[in-house]
């Protein structure tokens, strides 16, 4: 977490003069991307998905296609 100064404050000696900036959203998106690459590169090519799996199975359900 990083604290950035709020604009328009006359003094920055008080804690209320700053706002917190969190990078957790970025970290979670990066972790999501790593997991997605793992699934697409190792699990899908080996046909290791459960038969009830619906994500990452574009051609499995033809009724979704027009």
């Amino acid at each position: 977490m990083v604290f950035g100064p709020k604009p328009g404050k006359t003094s920055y000696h008080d804690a209320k003069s700053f706002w917190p900036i969190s990078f957790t959203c970025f970290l979670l998106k990066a972790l999501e991307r790593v997991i997605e690459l793992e699934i697409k590169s190792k699990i899908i090519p080996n046909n290791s998905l459960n038969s009830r799996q619906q994500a990452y199975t574009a051609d499995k359900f033809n009724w979704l296609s027009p």
Side-chain angles (χ1 to χ4, degrees):
M1 176 139 344
V2 177
F3 294 95
K6 290 182 180 177
K9 297 288 182 176
T10 57
S11 174
Y12 291 101
H13 296 289
D14 191 21
K16 293 182 180 181
S17 299
F18 297 90
W19 56 20
I21 300 171
S22 175
F23 295 107
T24 56
C25 183
F26 169 76
L27 293 174
L28 292 176
K29 289 286 186 184
L31 179 61
E32 180 183 15
R33 181 71 176 144
V34 167
I35 292 171
E36 180 183 17
L37 290 173
E38 184 78 11
I39 289 171
K40 287 183 176 180
S41 67
K42 294 184 180 175
I43 296 175
I44 291 176
N46 295 335
N47 293 325
S48 300
L49 292 176
N50 189 310
S51 63
R52 295 182 178 182
Q53 177 73 29
Q54 294 182 12
Y56 302 104
T57 55
D59 298 331
K60 187 172 182 179
F61 297 101
N62 293 331
W63 56 272
L64 294 176
S65 307

